[in-house]
Amino acid sequence: MGIIQGLTEFLPVSSSGHLTIFQYIFGINTDTGLLFEVMLHLGTLVAVCIAFWKDIKKLFMAAVGLVVDGAANIKDLIVNRGKKGKGHRRMVINAYRKFVLLILVTTIPTGICGIILSNFMDSITSSLLIPGLCLIVTAILLLISDVLPGGKKKVKATGYTDAALVGLAQGIAVLPGLSRSGTTITACLALGFDRTFAVKYSFIASIPAIVGANLLELRHLGDALSGENHFLYYIIGMVIAGVLGYVCIKVMLYVVKNKKFIYFAYYCAIIGTISLISYFFM
């Protein structure tokens, strides 16, 4: 499970799609418990933070600065009865502060889509039809991403509308078989992002999305902790997921920069076709 999570979380092949396929075709029980799932995601989150540590650190400091200046501006407005006073502070003073706001804007439509689609997830994952179709869609998106020229947009040139559209793509990618990284990177490239920045943006934008999804599930964590668990095995799975996740992030940086998505596209098309054949004829 750690290998599956580490490889498929960041490579554009859909982790949820693979789990569903393994469960149905190979008879593998993927219901390993909430605590284990949370720890696997923790492993991949740590991988993102290590891979982009310099950016994560600066983004954190920028977020703190935005909160402090925002609170000071609210106080200024209250003191001056709704009018900007001399103490008013400009919020977006550097690229990292704008990056924080872009990620925030991306997270909003992702969260809305996730909440809406979560009500249908049980029925969606009850067969191989949706994962098979979505894997073929992923293959098409990957082929498109290789032919897209890519642009020069980085933080300063990226608009909040761009960020919202990437968030919408990320939210739709909750469907099993639709790769989150493949969908968001393709969306970024279609919007004119620089190819390396597209990968960075996609993976950093995944942090609040994954954290938010796990926070929603943590309401059931009490039941998971009360049951039998093998914490050492969970640690092993988490470490494996994190190490492979870090390697896959580096692979993705190379793949996107050198337009090598075609191999993953072929893979997704084959696995999607096998899933559809299994659904209709097995």
Side-chain angles (χ1 to χ4, degrees):
M1 293 296 293
I3 292 172
I4 294 171
Q5 175 72 18
L7 288 177
T8 60
E9 181 68 30
F10 298 120
L11 293 180
V13 294
S14 177
S15 58
S16 59
H18 274 70
L19 291 177
T20 302
I21 291 168
F22 280 7
Q23 181 178 5
Y24 280 88
I25 294 182
F26 300 105
I28 296 176
N29 179 16
T30 60
D31 184 11
T32 50
L34 176 62
L35 180 59
F36 188 42
E37 292 177 8
V38 170
M39 291 185 69
L40 286 180
H41 280 112
L42 177 61
T44 51
L45 282 175
V46 171
V48 176
C49 292
I50 292 175
F52 298 106
W53 170 245
K54 291 182 180 179
D55 292 297
I56 299 295
K57 181 173 65 174
K58 290 179 180 178
L59 285 169
F60 177 78
M61 296 305 298
V64 172
L66 282 170
V67 171
V68 171
D69 287 350
N73 285 340
I74 292 173
K75 179 181 177 181
D76 181 62
L77 288 172
I78 293 173
V79 170
N80 292 282
R81 299 180 180 180
K83 297 180 181 179
K84 291 183 180 180
K86 293 183 180 180
H88 183 80
R89 303 181 185 181
R90 190 161 64 93
M91 300 287 289
V92 184
I93 59 175
N94 57 46
Y96 277 99
R97 285 200 177 190
K98 184 179 180 181
F99 202 167
V100 171
L101 295 177
L102 289 171
I103 295 297
L104 178 61
V105 172
T106 293
T107 302
I108 294 171
T110 295
I112 294 172
C113 289
I115 292 171
I116 293 173
L117 291 175
S118 65
N119 297 324
F120 305 98
M121 287 306 292
D122 289 338
S123 59
I124 289 173
T125 57
S126 61
S127 73
L128 293 177
L129 178 61
I130 299 300
L133 289 173
C134 287
L135 277 167
I136 292 175
V137 172
T138 295
I140 295 171
L141 290 174
L142 296 179
L143 290 173
I144 292 173
S145 69
D146 265 356
V147 300
L148 287 172
K152 297 182 179 180
K153 281 186 181 180
K154 292 187 178 181
V155 176
K156 291 183 178 180
T158 301
Y160 295 109
T161 301
D162 296 330
L165 290 173
V166 174
L168 181 61
Q170 182 169 248
I172 295 173
V174 73
L175 293 171
L178 197 57
S179 166
R180 190 208 64 82
S181 61
T183 302
T184 53
I185 290 173
T186 302
C188 287
L189 294 176
L191 292 167
F193 284 36
D194 170 81
R195 299 190 78 87
T196 301
F197 179 63
V199 178
K200 180 186 294 187
Y201 193 93
S202 171
F203 289 148
I204 291 179
S206 74
I207 295 176
I210 295 174
V211 170
N214 279 295
L215 286 176
L216 288 175
E217 295 298 330
L218 284 180
R219 65 185 185 277
H220 304 301
L221 189 59
D223 296 334
L225 290 172
S226 63
E228 182 181 357
N229 60 71
H230 305 280
F231 202 71
L232 177 61
Y233 298 152
Y234 295 179
I235 292 292
I236 293 172
M238 180 182 70
V239 171
I240 291 174
V243 171
L244 289 178
Y246 178 83
V247 172
C248 289
I249 290 172
K250 295 300 183 181
V251 170
M252 285 295 289
L253 286 167
Y254 171 81
V255 166
V256 176
K257 186 176 180 180
N258 294 278
K259 300 185 178 181
K260 301 290 187 180
F261 265 141
I262 189 170
Y263 303 110
F264 294 105
Y266 289 155
Y267 173 80
C268 289
I270 291 170
I271 299 299
T273 302
I274 293 173
S275 300
L276 292 178
I277 290 173
S278 301
Y279 173 77
F280 286 109
F281 300 105
M282 293 178 64

